[in-house]
Amino acid sequence: MLKTMNWIREKGIILISMFVLLLLAACQGESEDSDSTAEEGEENSASELTEIVGIDPGSGTMNIAAETVEAYNLDLELLPSSEPAMLTELQGAIANEEPIVVTLWEPHWMFSEYDLKFLEDPQGTLGESENIHTMVRHGLEEDQPAAYQFLDNFFWEVDDMNEVMSKFGQSDEVEPREAAEEWIADNRDKVEVWTEGIEPVDGETIELGYVNWDTELSSTNVVALMLEELGYTVELTPLDMGIAFESLSEEEIDGMLIAWLPVGAATYAEQYKDDIVDLGPNLEGAQQGFVVPGYMDIDSIEELPTK
């Protein structure tokens, strides 16, 4: 009888020990899962951010971005870069689901390819809706009336620009000119409105300045191809935004389709307003601001780290 009771006691101790070990293992697993979730949340948290990846220094976008950092007292460094470099940083962060904030704008093919969102800007320092204006030199209307009339007629929608950008922005094998050619071929009804009633020319030369952004590459290549259809020889010159305004004011180039207003190019537009001709918007409803991937649990600039 005593042996039987000892055997039962020993078995009970063993069973209890096994139960305790299983319980501890389960708790440890839950703890590890919790830690993993916490780490993942921390990775996507705005609190982990130390910088805002920007574009070309001196651009209107960077000017208002700097003003926004100051207005919100953000504890983030605004890093000047370029559009291609900024996009590379953004794509790399998305691939690893890391937190990142960039200066970006719409239209842009990235919004078609990835889940991105503009951060709310309660103070309005980044501006609201933007229009992209066409500007030409003084005297173009008299010297080259066909080109002037076409540039004045040119107007398209955000979806049109996005369609062109999506063709070359996602593939190094497709050039902006090729993407523009394809879009024109698919949208003859739209482009023929721009040329209606304009008399063709015979080999006159016109020079357009542009900024090396996907948006401006899209519009400038579409316009260049249509001017070529009218008989022009078109020269395209890449310039920084400020140099483009200066060159136009000094009549070194004939026109450009790159002025984001009322905010993006506001400084240059005000500086050179008496020395250039503003033909008005060639696209309406653009937007620029601070952009983050959709997986980040943040909706407003006010949620970014502050000093």
Side-chain angles (χ1 to χ4, degrees):
M1 182 70 175
L2 183 58
K3 289 183 178 179
T4 301
M5 292 181 62
N6 288 337
W7 181 85
I8 293 174
R9 187 180 300 109
E10 289 173 359
K11 289 293 184 181
I13 292 172
I14 292 172
L15 288 173
I16 292 172
S17 298
M18 290 177 64
F19 175 77
V20 170
L21 288 173
L22 289 171
L23 183 62
L24 288 172
C27 291
Q28 183 177 357
E30 289 179 4
S31 176
E32 288 176 355
D33 289 342
S34 177
D35 290 344
S36 176
T37 302
E39 288 176 4
E40 183 177 346
E42 288 175 1
E43 283 184 357
N44 296 336
S45 170
S47 64
E48 299 299 305
L49 293 167
T50 59
E51 62 192 28
I52 299 170
V53 183
I55 56 168
D56 311 74
S59 66
T61 297
M62 289 296 281
N63 290 339
I64 61 174
E67 292 171 3
T68 301
V69 169
E70 182 176 353
Y72 286 89
N73 196 33
L74 299 181
D75 190 19
L76 297 173
E77 181 182 2
L78 179 61
L79 293 180
S81 179
S82 65
E83 181 186 358
M86 176 271 291
L87 294 180
T88 297
E89 289 288 328
L90 178 56
Q91 289 173 307
I94 291 173
N96 296 305
E97 290 199 8
E98 297 170 346
I100 188 171
V101 57
V102 300
T103 59
L104 195 55
W105 50 90
E106 169 78 22
H108 201 287
W109 65 267
M110 286 287 287
F111 285 92
S112 301
E113 184 71 9
Y114 300 101
D115 178 20
L116 303 173
K117 58 185 177 182
F118 283 98
L119 293 181
E120 296 171 6
D121 175 21
Q123 296 189 36
T125 54
L126 290 168
E128 297 180 1
S129 179
E130 290 267 272
N131 299 326
I132 307 178
H133 286 230
T134 300
M135 296 182 173
V136 298
R137 64 171 173 82
H138 281 296
L140 183 68
E141 184 174 13
E142 294 75 27
D143 299 341
Q144 296 176 311
Y148 179 92
Q149 187 59 56
F150 174 80
L151 291 170
D152 196 27
N153 290 348
F154 172 64
F155 182 88
W156 63 346
E157 305 292 339
V158 168
D159 288 344
D160 298 325
M161 181 179 279
N162 272 336
E163 188 175 341
V164 176
M165 283 192 292
S166 67
K167 296 179 187 298
F168 71 85
Q170 303 176 57
S171 173
D172 293 335
E173 297 180 359
V174 179
E175 294 296 326
R177 183 179 175 91
E178 295 175 298
E181 287 174 341
E182 185 177 342
W183 184 86
I184 289 172
D186 294 338
N187 292 273
R188 294 304 308 183
D189 57 331
K190 293 183 179 181
V191 301
E192 287 172 2
V193 172
W194 304 335
T195 59
E196 186 176 356
I198 299 178
E199 290 294 325
V201 301
D202 185 15
E204 294 182 25
T205 299
I206 184 167
E207 183 176 359
L208 301 177
Y210 69 96
V211 178
N212 195 30
W213 300 342
D214 285 354
T215 45
E216 279 56 52
L217 285 170
S218 300
S219 56
T220 303
N221 276 277
V222 166
V223 163
L225 287 165
M226 293 306 300
L227 285 169
E228 288 175 8
E229 285 193 16
L230 288 171
Y232 281 96
T233 297
V234 183
E235 297 178 358
L236 301 183
T237 304
L239 300 166
D240 290 337
M241 180 70 75
I243 301 300
F245 270 88
E246 181 181 0
S247 298
L248 189 61
S249 71
E250 295 179 356
E251 302 181 13
E252 295 174 350
I253 59 175
D254 297 303
M256 60 186 189
L257 306 108
I258 63 176
W260 287 60
L261 295 172
V263 177
T267 302
Y268 302 122
E270 177 63 25
Q271 180 179 353
Y272 295 104
K273 64 180 180 181
D274 295 330
D275 303 317
I276 57 180
V277 179
D278 185 351
L279 297 181
N282 59 64
L283 181 144
E284 295 177 343
Q287 183 181 357
Q288 59 181 333
F290 288 170
V291 170
V292 299
Y295 55 74
M296 287 186 64
D297 187 19
I298 178 175
D299 297 305
S300 172
I301 295 174
E302 292 181 323
E303 298 175 62
L304 293 172
T306 55
K307 296 178 181 177

